[in-house]
Amino acid sequence: MASGHQQPPEGQAALWNGLAGQAWVDSRDLLEGMFKPFEDLLVEAVQARGARQVLDVGCGTGSTTLAVARRLGTQGHCVGIDISAPMLAAARARAEAEHVAASFIEANEALIGLTSDAERARLRVVRLISPKEGMLDASRSAD
C-alpha cells in the first residue's frame, strides 16, 4: 500500500469527499464483507483489553465503529473519525437506523495528529483507552 508519493491532506479531502467516498458508500456491503474478519479481530481486542472508550480512526462508513459500540453497550462509548462526509453520512444513518450509540466526527486525522504514515490505511489503527493500561495501540498491520 505504501508508495513514494503521498497526497497532501487537501488532496485526500477532495478525493474522499468526491467520487472515491461515494464509490465506497455505493459498494459498502461488498467492502464491509471483505473487511469483516479484521473487524471481528478488532472487536475481540476491545473486549479482551477491557476498553471502555474507543476511537476508530479512518472509520469510513462506520462498520467497525458500530460493531465496537454494540459490544460496549452502555458500559462504554465508541467514536469514529473520518475525512469523508459521504461515508460519515452513511455511518450516522446506519447508527440511527440500528439504534446504536456511536458518535462520528468529520476531521482529517493527519492534520490533527492522530495518524502516522504507517497508520493511514483503513482498519490499521483503532485506539483503545483502557482504565487499567492507559492508551493502547491495537493496530493490525498488513506489513
Side-chain angles (χ1 to χ4, degrees):
M1 273 192 185
S3 71
H5 174 69
Q6 299 230 348
Q7 287 188 343
E10 310 82 47
Q12 287 294 312
L15 177 71
W16 290 108
N17 283 297
L19 291 176
Q22 192 57 52
W24 191 287
V25 170
D26 293 344
S27 303
R28 180 180 71 189
D29 292 340
L30 172 67
L31 293 166
E32 289 179 0
M34 288 174 20
F35 289 125
K36 181 77 168 100
F38 300 106
E39 177 183 296
D40 293 343
L41 289 172
L42 291 169
V43 172
E44 289 173 20
V46 167
Q47 184 174 12
R49 304 286 179 137
R52 295 287 174 243
Q53 298 178 47
V54 179
L55 177 60
D56 181 4
V57 179
C59 69
T61 54
S63 180
T64 301
T65 309
L66 295 172
V68 169
R70 276 188 223 96
R71 180 64 61 102
L72 292 173
T74 60
Q75 302 301 309
H77 190 72
C78 191
V79 177
I81 184 171
D82 204 280
I83 197 171
S84 175
M87 293 169 79
L88 288 171
R92 288 181 182 116
R94 186 170 171 187
E96 185 176 333
E98 296 177 12
H99 306 288
V100 178
S103 301
F104 296 94
I105 299 169
E106 182 179 346
N108 185 335
E109 55 271 5
L111 291 179
I112 58 176
L114 290 177
T115 61
S116 68
D117 289 342
E119 295 172 327
R120 292 188 195 280
R122 172 77 181 110
L123 292 178
R124 292 189 65 190
V125 66
V126 170
R127 300 272 185 219
L128 306 178
I129 302 172
S130 168
K132 294 179 185 176
E133 299 173 313
M135 185 67 93
L136 301 174
D137 183 355
S139 296
R140 296 289 190 246
S141 179
D143 295 20

